[in-house]
């Protein structure tokens, strides 16, 4: 910053600035204002240049936007600069006021204003000039910040404790928001009155100072010079004992860290741990400027600053995100050449997609994923696979189908006999399955089959993928062969795992549910295919004949899903079960077959439920050995079989009761009696009108009243056709 000052009619001011610039040129320290160019004089003006400054404390502290942490850091910087003057430069500042403290463009507080500084005559002995009313205040130190010994009668020398007193008054002014502790208005009598009452003055601002700082300042502002501590000891008080404050101090001095290992440890550990406790305003006012100033051209340190940079990106306000783009782009450009940097980006890539919205960065992320999956380094491959579940929803579908899944198909050497790696890949494929449609689900199935381990966790992970596919969009499972080879076959085989049946009851139940779901879908696909084939070959006459033999599927896939409720806990994130509406209006739960290893979920339990409800064996359990297509018999074809079952109900109940235990036999008999009574009430009236005719078999009880009416209609149609033929 260049300053031009006119000298016309103000020769004393010229001498003052000339002396100050001469003092500054001889001082080189990070906490002392730096002179870029020495003083130049002309007939009309003189000029000098300093580093770029933002202002002085007089204009900064009165602004409420200054954070308390930044104030503490600034006070520590003043203490560091004053310690340098006393111990190394052997100089007394003499006028430590708010106008003498400058704030640079990168928010560093530095000491200037050396118009009244003096050098030591002897160790810790500096000349003292009395303050007088005969001179204008601008040519003398500020009375409100002077130590009392400077005004003592006959005093010719002072020690560095005079600057310590001035520092104490300055600290009070800073913490009080610009209110002076001593406001004498250039009056010596007022000054002495206030100085003798400093304890009361401190008490008035005790809330702003806090207990620790107030106790220390009571010694700093003591009228007894001996009780004042050395300036460097002030950095050790408890008020400045803060990890975040210490990290910021080290960051300001990072250019003076010459050991690379020390610098890398500070960036990746000390600073990273302190970042969450540093206010966001300081992130962008101090931390990023330090990175720009000291680390922009040091690619060897890029990996060590990724943790604090990604934390800032993840937690900063949206209006500050654009300030992160230069550094994120810089990191992505170097990711291909830095293994550690690439691995970290792969595992934290979701923050880039969620927060940054930068096409250049997103394209680089896609390149890094493919490059890492193709790498010979297994650690990079693992990082890429583990990062996929977090970014799957942001990846373009064309990238998934044309690049990502084909690249995953080349991972067998990486996956060979390694259960953790296969489990990581299945987690990634589960997330990617939501993005796959019917056209590319076959490629997804091929990637799933790469995880060929028979370990129970692998089988269970495949089970969860199957359920996820069904829950999201079951229409994608149109290819029965692919579904059987890649999903159903591994699940059925996995049910035989010893560790699954012995130690993982919840996993076993989950896999069984998945198998049932896939079988239902497979059955539905089969009948849909047969119906399409029959529809192509049918005509009107064949359609009427086939109407009586056509089977009405009672599988749960044909029934409307009416409820999704909480089920037993599982090891997956999806702990829901599906309930379906059965043919007679009951809710049918296909997901809770067995709650524990000792509970029953066998055919015997299913049979007892059906008999207890007064129904016969439905068409779902009757298979025809004579069907040309292998379809299950319709209830009309198996009509006589239902009658035989009803006529022997009592014997069947007794057998079932003995198998299940005496505690259920009474319930079965009661239910059977109610079922017989219900059948008697609903018997067809045609049986009484035509006693000579052979009685048709009773209706199957597995149907509702609507089904029963359909039975009677078709039966009458069949007998009417028969009578017409005889006539």
């Amino acid at each position: 910053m260049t300053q031009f000052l006119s000298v016309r009619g103000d020769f004393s001011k010229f001498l003052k600035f000339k002396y100050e610039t001469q003092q500054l040129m001889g001082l080189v320290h990070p906490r002392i204002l730096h002179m870029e160019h020495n003083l130049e004089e002309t007939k009309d003006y003189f000029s000098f240049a300093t580093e770029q400054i933002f202002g002085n404390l007089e204009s900064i502290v009165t602004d409420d936007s200054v954070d308390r942490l930044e104030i503490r850091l600034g006070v520590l910087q003043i203490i560091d600069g004053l310690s340098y003057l006393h111990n190394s430069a052997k100089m007394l500042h003499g006028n430590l006021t708010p106008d003498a403290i400058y704030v640079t463009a990168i928010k560093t507080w530095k000491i200037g204003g050396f118009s009244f500084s003096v050098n030591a005559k002897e160790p810790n002995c500096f000349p003292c000039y009395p303050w007088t009313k005969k001179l204008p205040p601008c040519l003398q130190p500020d009375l409100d910040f002077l130590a009392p010994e400077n005004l003592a009668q006959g005093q010719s020398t002072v020690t560095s404790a005079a600057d310590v007193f001035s520092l104490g008054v300055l600290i009070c002014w800073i913490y009080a928001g610009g209110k002076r502790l001593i406001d004498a208005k250039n009056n010596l009598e007022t000054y002495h009155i206030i100085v003798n009452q400093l304890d009361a003055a401190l008490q008035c601002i005790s809330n702003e100072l806090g207990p620790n700082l107030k106790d220390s300042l009571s010694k700093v502002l003591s009228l007894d010079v001996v009780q004042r501590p050395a300036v460097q000891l002030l950095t050790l008080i408890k008020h400045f004992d803060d990890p975040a404050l210490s990290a910021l101090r080290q960051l300001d001095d990072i250019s003076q860290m010459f050991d690379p290992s020390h610098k890398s440890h500070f960036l990746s550990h000390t600073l990273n741990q302190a970042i969450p406790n540093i206010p966001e305003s300081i992130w962008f006012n101090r931390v990023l400027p330090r990175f720009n100033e000291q680390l922009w051209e040091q690619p060897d340190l890029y990996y060590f600053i990724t943790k604090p940079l990604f934390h800032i990106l993840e937690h900063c306000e949206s209006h500050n995100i654009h300030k992160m783009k230069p550094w994120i782009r810089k990191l992505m450009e170097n990711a291909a050449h830095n293994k550690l940097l690439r691995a970290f980006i792969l595992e934290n890539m979701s923050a880039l997609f969620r927060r940054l919205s930068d096409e250049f960065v997103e394209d680089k992320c896609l390149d890094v994923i493919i490059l890492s999956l193709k790498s010979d380094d297994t650690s990079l491959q693992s990082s890429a696979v583990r990062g996929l579940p977090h970014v799957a929803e942001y990846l373009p579908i064309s990238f998934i189908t044309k690049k990502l899944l084909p690249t995953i198909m080349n991972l067998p050497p990486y996956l060979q006999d390694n259960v953790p790696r296969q489990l990581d890949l299945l987690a990634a494929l589960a997330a990617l399955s939501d993005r796959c449609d019917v056209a590319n689900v076959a490629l997804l199935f091929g990637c799933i089959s790469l995880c060929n381990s028979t370990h129970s966790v692998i089988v269970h992970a495949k089970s969860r993928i199957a359920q996820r596919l069904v829950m999201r969009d079951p229409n994608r499972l149109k290819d029965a062969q692919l579904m059987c080879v890649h999903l159903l076959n591994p699940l059925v085989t996995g049910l035989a795992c010893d560790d699954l049946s012995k130690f993982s009851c919840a996993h076993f139940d989950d896999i069984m549910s998945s198998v049932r779901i896939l079988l239902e879908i497979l059955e539905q696909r089969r009948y849909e295919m047969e119906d399409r084939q029959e529809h192509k070959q049918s005509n009107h006459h064949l359609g009427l004949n086939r109407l009586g033999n056509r089977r009405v599927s009672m599988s749960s896939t044909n029934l409307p899903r009416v409820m999704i409720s909480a089920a037993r806990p599982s090891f997956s994130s999806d702990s829901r079960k599906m309930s379906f509406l059965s043919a007679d209006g009951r809710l049918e739960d296909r997901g809770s077959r067995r709650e524990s290893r000792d509970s029953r979920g066998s055919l015997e339990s299913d049979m007892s439920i059906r008999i207890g409800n007064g129904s016969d064996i439905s068409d779902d359990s009757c298979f025809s050995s004579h069907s040309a297509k292998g379809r299950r018999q319709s209830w009309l074809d198996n009509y006589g079989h239902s009658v035989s079952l009803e006529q022997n109900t009592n014997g069947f109940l007794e057998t079932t009761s003995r198998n299940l235990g005496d505690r259920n036999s009474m319930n079965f008999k009661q239910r059977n009696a109610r079922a017989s009574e219900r059948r008697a009430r609903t018997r067809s009236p045609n049986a009484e009108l035509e006693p000579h005719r052979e009685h048709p078999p009773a209706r199957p009880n597995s149907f509702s009243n609507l089904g029963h009416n359909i039975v009677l209609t078709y039966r009458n149609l069949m007998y009417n056709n028969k009578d017409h033929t005889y006539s």
Side-chain angles (χ1 to χ4, degrees), residues 223-250:
L223 299 181
D224 187 356
V225 176
V226 179
Q227 291 187 8
R228 298 175 196 164
V231 65
Q232 60 268 24
L233 296 180
L234 294 178
T235 60
L236 304 178
I237 65 177
K238 193 174 181 180
H239 178 73
F240 299 113
D241 185 13
D242 185 353
L245 188 62
S246 176
L248 289 175
R249 289 186 68 192
Q250 294 182 65

Side-chain angles (χ1 to χ4, degrees), residues 196-229:
N196 291 324
Q197 299 177 355
L198 284 180
D199 291 340
L202 281 176
Q203 190 63 33
C204 294
I205 59 172
S206 59
N207 292 334
E208 290 82 357
L209 297 175
N212 295 323
L213 184 59
K214 177 181 175 297
D215 293 342
S216 300
L217 288 180
S218 61
K219 296 180 180 179
V220 170
L221 298 175
S222 175
L223 299 181
D224 187 356
V225 176
V226 179
Q227 291 187 8
R228 298 175 196 164

Side-chain angles (χ1 to χ4, degrees), residues 399-414:
F399 169 77
I400 294 175
T401 57
K402 296 180 180 180
K403 291 186 177 181
L404 182 57
L405 292 180
T407 303
I408 291 177
M409 289 297 295
N410 297 322
L411 289 179
Y414 165 78

Side-chain angles (χ1 to χ4, degrees), residues 35 47 88-89 160 207 222 240 302 311 348 351 364 371 386 403 436 562 567 591 605 659 719:
M35 287 284 295
S47 64
S88 299
S160 59
N207 292 334
S222 175
F240 299 113
Y302 285 172
H311 181 89
N348 298 271
K364 285 292 184 181
L371 183 64
R386 285 194 297 266
K403 291 186 177 181
C436 295
V562 298
S605 299
N659 293 335
Y719 283 121

Side-chain angles (χ1 to χ4, degrees), residues 2-21:
T2 304
Q3 294 185 3
F4 297 91
L5 299 174
S6 174
V7 298
R8 293 177 182 175
D10 197 355
F11 186 72
S12 60
K13 188 175 183 180
F14 166 74
L15 293 178
K16 175 183 175 183
F17 275 101
K18 185 176 183 178
Y19 178 78
E20 179 178 356
T21 55

